[in-house]
Amino acid sequence: MATQSPKMNIKDLKLWYGDFQALHGLDLEIPEKQITAFIGPSGCGKSTFIKSLNRMNDLIETCRIEGTIELDGKNIYSNKMDVNKLRKRVGMVFQQPNPFPKSIYDNIAYGPRTHGIKDKKTLDEIVERSLKQAAIWDEVKDHLDRNALSISGGQQQRICIARALAVEPEVLLMDEPTSALDPISTAKIEELVSDLKNEYTIVMVTHNMQQASRVSDKTAFFLNGHIIETGDTRKIFTNPDQEETENYISGRFG
Amino acid sequence: MSAKIIRGLVYLAAAITFGMLGYVIFYILVNGVLYLTPDLFSWDYNSENVSMMPAIVTTLFVVGGTLLITTPIGVFTGFYLVEYANRKNPMIKAISMATDTLAAVPSIVYGLFGFLFFVTFLSFGLSLIAGVLTSVIMSLPLIIRATEEALVSTGRPIREASYALGAGKLRTIFTVVLPVAMPGILSGVILATGRVIGETAALLYTLGSASNIPVNLFSSGRTLSLHMYVLSNEGFHVDQANATAVVLLLFVLVLNGLSTLVSSRLSKGGK
Amino acid sequence: MKNTKEAAMKGVFFLSACFSIIALLLIILFIFANGVPFIAEYGFFDFIFGMDWAPTNNVPLYGIFPMIIGSIYVTLGAAIVGVPIGILTAVFMAEFCPPILYKVLKPATNLMAAIPSIVYGFFALRVFTPFIRENIGGNGYSVLTASVLLGIMILPTVIGLSESALRAIPKTYYTGSVALGATHERSVFRVLLPAAKSGIFSSVILGIGRAIGETMAVVLIAGNQAIIPDNLLSGVRTLTTNIVIEMAYATGQHREALIATAVVLFGFILLINSIFLYFKNKEAS
């Protein structure tokens, strides 16, 4: 096992929406520069969980949280944590591509501008680098001024990935990034994600078992707001310890 | 009832509605256009030429002044209602109720209030500022409602995208949400403009009806609608009143065209 | 630095939001503080049910019953004229209008709403008044004239809201009816119209609110006699016109009586508005 300390460390995380408890005391370590996949049936809490890693759940009024989530050993829910700086360090890509109704260039430049970069030349470099990292530079380099909503869904999602990368996050959260896309776009994004892990810590929620087994290093299986089992992806998919995990993976679960 | 009779009634009703609208416009144009003489547009009003030029300028002052105040207040209220406040907050309910009630208050009550508060209590007298402030309160619900609807319809995803990049609330509102909501807000502003241009009852006892261009915030004036009211009420200058109506209609037509343009952009932008 | 800016702007937004509440409170305060004491002093019953409005008498009389009845008459008249035409036109817009024509007629209804009331009033003064005088009788300044004019003026309100209520009904209602062999007309009138009734009803209420609050168009054509009209061709004065006609020269108690008239008008509007909100909420749920 790796002796290196985990990039993110979640301890006894409990989460409520109003009176409904969605997460029941989760513990998990997210290793650096690896891909961790969350799997489990709909409503098991995996999306809720990933959204608490960059405090997107703060936007939901009724949401209440107990426990700690540490990023490099610092609790992200402590009062000293600046949420905006946290979200710069922990980026996110959503299920539905959600580009701003602005030009491709302005979409990518939005994050860096938010964090104070104004110099045109620096921005140009960031835009080009991010689009290259997201493997979409060649497709859009000649029309960066086009509205990002005018390109295809698969391209939009890669624009969103590029946009997330442009603020140079340390962790990239991906909430079912391919479930709204066609198979060809899905393949492109999977390939891209595998390349990105050399530089980024990636956390990915997926419904797609094949996807989880193809791209991830670690897998956590969620059920009814609990983490049932975590471990190396190969082990989870070939020889899980828990019966529920095996039932789900072999398709007997919903 | 047979289908034919029902269909006949429906067509008849539509014919009456649009026939009447057509007749109003036709009547005003036919009886007014000929009297649009250069005299009516001379800079100085006197009881001979009954020029509407000062009234046109005053209308622009009142509309401009009103929008300058009511737009930020209305838009900011929309921001607060949609982006900040908890939906269960009693404050929200109070603001919504106040907005609904303000929208239902008749012009003459606004006029009376403006007269009691701005003209008398604050001793502004019949003045540009009293007229503008009365119009501000009157047009506020239109802007608030338009902003609220426009903000709500922008949806959650683009906000999430912005927050996830580490942008704060202000930056998200002003650089991401506002541009998307702009056409909706704009159509509220156009609606408010139309309301102020067409207003008479609320302005008669606040702005007053002085016939010259107001020289400062505390001098009285009359908007085009007020001018037309005075002319039709006196009954000596019916043709000139009619010509004034042509110009008013022109204003309204332009505004309506703008609003149609904006709302067609709105539906395109949503796709 | 950034956080103080966020907090400061939140404060600005909050203050803006308070503005409408403050404005409404000020309106209520100034109208009621000036009007209610007068009503108390003059006597609620004498004021509301007094038959004579004679502010210039040696012993001035401030009975607004004729104006209350006047407002009710012209508003009812407006509803009788405007509601059936408005609802049927809304049905036309939602269910019978060819798309090409709709592109012209929809902006036309918006235009109808945007034409200033003074223009409508002037039009009625020049067209309806002589028409009624010459063909029906009276001097043309009458309950009838005001009712027809207000009926036209509430059309865009009734049409707009009724049309959206009709459009909000799920298409399946209609297709279900047509699939049973019902004609288009029958499906629209027996299925869609009843399903949209709260929305249509709230459009009528809002139209009534518009009619009762209208001032400048009515003042030109209603005759403005402070008497209870005994027929359709008799002149009439409403609550709104009572205020606008006499405010110019009223002083002292007379002015207070006019403000008290506004209190009564306000009461009517609040009543109508709560009925409207009741039906709007019913439609939403």
Side-chain angles (χ1 to χ4, degrees), chain B residues 117-246:
Chain B
F117 185 60
F118 298 121
V119 176
T120 311
F121 182 76
L122 297 180
S123 333
F124 290 163
L126 294 176
S127 60
L128 189 56
I129 186 162
V132 164
L133 292 175
T134 307
S135 305
V136 164
I137 301 178
M138 193 180 68
S139 55
L140 193 59
L142 297 171
I143 311 249
I144 295 177
R145 284 286 169 253
T147 308
E148 239 190 315
E149 270 174 37
L151 290 177
V152 167
S153 70
T154 52
R156 202 181 171 81
I158 56 163
R159 289 182 177 75
E160 282 187 335
S162 174
Y163 290 130
L165 289 166
K169 213 149 199 171
L170 281 181
R171 181 160 169 86
T172 302
I173 292 174
F174 280 102
T175 56
V176 176
V177 178
L178 191 59
V180 181
M182 205 43 127
I185 296 174
L186 217 57
S187 62
V189 172
I190 294 173
L191 218 59
T193 307
R195 172 97 202 241
V196 176
I197 288 182
E199 189 50 53
T200 327
L203 293 177
L204 187 57
Y205 296 121
T206 53
L207 177 65
S209 54
S211 49
N212 288 315
I213 300 174
V215 288
N216 61 45
L217 277 179
F218 295 97
S219 60
S220 168
R222 61 166 76 150
T223 62
L224 213 46
S225 288
L226 273 170
H227 180 64
M228 188 177 162
Y229 170 72
V230 175
L231 291 186
S232 12
N233 209 26
E234 288 168 345
F236 299 126
H237 298 282
V238 171
D239 297 328
Q240 285 79 0
N242 208 325
T244 311
V246 173

Side-chain angles (χ1 to χ4, degrees), chain A residues 51 54 56 59-62 84 87-88 90-92 94 98-102 110-111 113-115 163-164 167, chain B residues 84-88 156-169 171-172 175-176 179-180 269 271:
Chain A
K51 286 197 173 115
N54 66 342
M56 287 303 279
L59 303 178
I60 298 165
E61 283 158 11
T62 57
N84 297 336
R87 290 181 184 145
K88 178 182 179 300
V90 183
M92 188 162 205
F94 297 82
N98 55 357
F100 302 125
K102 301 172 185 282
Y110 181 82
R113 281 176 177 150
T114 298
H115 299 287
R163 184 177 64 185
V167 296
Chain B
Y84 285 86
N86 183 324
R87 282 275 132 191
K88 284 180 196 146
R156 202 181 171 81
I158 56 163
R159 289 182 177 75
E160 282 187 335
S162 174
Y163 290 130
L165 289 166
K169 213 149 199 171
R171 181 160 169 86
T172 302
T175 56
V176 176
V180 181
K271 286 278 141 32

Side-chain angles (χ1 to χ4, degrees), chain C residues 34-99:
Chain C
N34 284 288
V36 173
F38 170 80
I39 299 177
E41 188 191 316
Y42 187 77
F44 177 80
F45 193 86
D46 290 339
F47 180 63
I48 301 289
F49 296 106
M51 297 298 281
D52 294 298
W53 176 266
T56 49
N57 273 12
N58 283 337
V59 183
L61 293 171
Y62 302 107
I64 60 161
F65 197 63
M67 277 68 91
I68 293 180
I69 295 299
S71 275
I72 293 177
Y73 277 2
V74 297
T75 305
L76 275 181
I80 291 169
V81 174
V83 168
I85 298 178
I87 294 176
L88 285 171
T89 305
V91 169
F92 175 79
M93 297 295 281
E95 301 296 333
F96 288 84
C97 189

